Amino acid sequence: MSRFVRASKYRHVFGQQGKKEYGYDNVKVTNSAWDTNIVAASTRYISLNWNASGGGAFAILPLPSPFAPLPHGLSSKLPDLIPLARSHAGPVLDTDWSPFNDAVVASAGEDGKALIWSVESSAFDGWGQDGWEPTDFDPVLRIDVSPRRVGHVLFHPTANNVLATSTGDHVVKLWDLAAPEHAKLVFGGHADAIQSLAWNPSGSLLATTCRDRKIRLFDPRAGGDPVRVGEGHGGIKGARVVWMGDKDRLATTGFSKMSDRQVAIWETGSLANVKTTTIDQTSGVLMPFWTDNNILFLAGKGDGNIRYYEYENDNLFPLAEYKSSEPQRGMCFLPRRGLSVSDCEIARAYKVAANSIEAIAFIVPRKSDSFQSDIYPPAPSAEPALTAAEFFAGKTAPPKLVSLEDGSISSGSAPLPVSASAPTPTKTASAPTPAPAPAPAPAPAPVISVREEPPSPAHKAEPTPEPRAPARSQTASSDDGAVAALREENARLTSELRDAREKIRNLELQVEAVRANARKAAALLDS
């Protein structure tokens, strides 16, 4: 047996639950059987599908922290009557917060509607005080999506005011919230219920899992048919998908034909399976969450634990496991720009139990009080890179990134990790699918999702000033000039390589479109 221990800066990551009074108690979780995460979070608020009579509803609450008491002086035990978002005629099935406005949330319901809500902080003034009466939230926009249920809502990661919805008639519709009279794009081809959907970081591709056991990739520039279709997990129950950051990989969770719970990695160029790992034989659906630290979190419904793995060279290496005796009904993760860097928090989960919401911080133990740049890559910022009009016109752009050290905004994709260039052990050869080339960053459309300034990083420790280096000789200066020149050349070559890869991807998509049209023509001739 090998005694070698793999080196990793995340080997000692641990989960820390906040104090009980830092969370919410007396919550009434929905009893709907529809499979979603039930809960969603922005850096200011959290939404929870609520068990309410007289139609559907969900709760909007100030965001709890594992390190501090609840905001607005709220008590951890919620009153029996609280303000709710009640305008759905059927149970609320899913919610999602805008990545560009922490006070805007979308909801999907059994009634076939998608509603947009804007939250005012004054709504939480006077909670629980004498004479206080709850006032329900009102939507600012209603979208008639489908005669059947709307199972999922998902905002676009780089384009402002763009929303994706999945419907009970097995299609995904894309909406411009500035003109919601009809869907801008409709993605079809699903033979059964859509189980999950996920955008890649630049929003140029959308992945879906379906009850027909297939994984599909859609490109908004290529029309409504999928550009890739691949076989997924063998079982029909509860498959989920998540993009593994800017890598050309997808991670899915699902079940085998023998009902084993599995996690799998897929290559996005051909949807070839890279690796499939069996977790256990429990019946709860696994919810996957990816962080840009190359860590994949797996939380099973009905489980009390959260597993997490580090991705490297197409392998998932187990790190540790957060354990709890209370099973979870749903879970979500906080956007990375809201983390507490002074506590070395690299991820934060919000766990929904039978009647409570608790925050769990995942922490890298460090003794230094200075900013730990090696564990905090730039995070997606609250500034959009595209308007909705530009997105639907075919433009793409990488997300704008924010430094968690000083809050500065940078455009362009984050630097590729070293592990992304390692050889890929796939059996099926395929072309790489890199992030698209950067586009000029326009201003956001002034519709509902009014862009907010990103939260000030006041909660973190001040960065330690770097000591000034002593004066060096002319030889050292010339060496520095040579190094700088090499870095500029490397950056130029990297940019050219990215452009070449994007051209390869576009050519592949054109080939796929031609093949799809040929298949349709052949089918018409056969009929």
Side-chain angles (χ1 to χ4, degrees), residues 126-147:
W127 271 46
Q129 298 179 4
D130 293 339
W132 173 77
E133 293 185 1
T135 302
D136 289 340
F137 298 95
D138 291 322
V140 295
L141 181 64
R142 300 171 185 265
I143 304 175
D144 293 323
V145 178
S146 170

Side-chain angles (χ1 to χ4, degrees), residues 132-487:
W132 173 77
E133 293 185 1
T135 302
D136 289 340
F137 298 95
D138 291 322
V140 295
L141 181 64
R142 300 171 185 265
I143 304 175
D144 293 323
V145 178
S146 170
R148 306 181 68 178
R149 67 163 178 262
V150 181
H152 305 87
V153 284
L154 186 63
F155 277 100
H156 193 277
T158 61
N160 198 19
N161 295 320
V162 175
L163 184 71
T165 60
S166 73
T167 68
D169 42 8
H170 315 329
V171 298
V172 175
K173 296 182 179 180
L174 300 189
W175 303 85
D176 179 357
L177 299 187
E181 294 80 13
H182 57 84
K184 294 293 185 180
L185 280 173
V186 179
F187 296 149
H190 302 90
D192 210 327
I194 299 170
Q195 296 174 321
S196 70
L197 57 159
W199 290 106
N200 68 343
S202 65
S204 60
L205 292 172
L206 179 73
T208 65
T209 57
C210 182
R211 193 176 169 87
D212 63 5
R213 306 183 184 90
K214 294 188 185 298
I215 305 169
R216 292 173 174 85
L217 290 185
F218 295 90
D219 187 333
R221 299 164 296 178
D225 293 329
V227 295
R228 300 280 190 279
V229 180
E231 294 294 332
H233 296 270
I236 63 173
K237 181 180 177 181
R240 299 287 192 94
V241 63
V242 64
W243 285 86
M244 303 178 75
D246 57 2
K247 300 167 178 56
D248 301 328
R249 297 289 182 268
L250 290 168
T252 61
T253 58
F255 292 81
S256 69
K257 291 182 179 180
M258 302 302 294
S259 296
D260 298 322
R261 288 202 297 190
Q262 299 175 328
V263 58
I265 300 174
W266 309 84
E267 193 270 330
T268 57
S270 61
L271 287 183
N273 181 253
V274 175
K275 188 178 183 67
T276 299
T277 303
T278 297
I279 304 297
D280 54 27
Q281 290 186 322
T282 311
S283 60
V285 173
L286 281 172
M287 298 174 284
F289 303 95
W290 174 262
T291 73
D292 291 331
N293 305 89
N294 292 344
I295 297 178
L296 180 68
F297 291 85
L298 299 180
K301 288 192 174 183
D303 298 355
N305 60 342
I306 304 173
R307 300 173 175 89
Y308 40 104
Y309 303 81
E310 185 174 9
Y311 171 79
E312 186 178 5
N313 296 336
D314 283 331
N315 286 294
L316 292 175
F317 296 97
L319 291 174
E321 193 172 315
Y322 170 81
K323 296 184 179 180
S324 170
S325 59
E326 194 166 11
Q328 55 230 7
R329 293 195 56 190
M331 184 169 291
C332 70
F333 272 62
L334 181 71
R336 287 184 55 245
R337 57 187 168 85
L339 297 175
S340 175
V341 297
S342 60
D343 295 291
C344 292
E345 180 189 34
I346 62 167
R348 184 187 303 175
Y350 286 97
K351 171 182 171 180
V352 178
N355 57 1
S356 64
I357 303 175
E358 61 187 44
I360 304 169
F362 290 92
I363 298 171
V364 177
R366 295 282 175 93
K367 293 183 179 180
S368 174
D369 292 332
S370 61
F371 179 76
Q372 306 294 307
S373 59
D374 62 319
I375 61 174
Y376 287 112
S381 74
E383 292 189 9
L386 294 170
T387 64
E390 289 172 328
F391 169 74
F392 288 114
K395 290 186 179 180
T396 60
K400 290 189 175 182
L401 304 176
V402 59
S403 168
L404 298 185
E405 181 178 12
D406 55 17
S408 60
I409 304 294
S410 62
S411 59
S413 57
L416 290 175
V418 176
S419 60
S421 61
T424 304
T426 54
K427 296 181 179 179
T428 304
S430 57
T433 42
V447 191
I448 297 166
S449 179
V450 180
R451 177 167 58 83
E452 296 183 330
E453 293 298 325
S456 173
H459 57 277
K460 67 176 182 62
E462 291 295 327
T464 303
E466 302 211 357
R468 295 180 62 86
R472 295 174 294 175
S473 64
Q474 287 184 341
T475 304
S477 299
S478 62
D479 289 344
D480 286 348
V483 170
L486 287 174
R487 286 178 177 170

Side-chain angles (χ1 to χ4, degrees), residues 55-77:
F58 68 98
I60 300 174
L61 302 169
L63 188 77
S65 167
F67 307 108
L70 292 169
H72 300 279
L74 297 182
S75 168
S76 63
K77 184 175 182 180

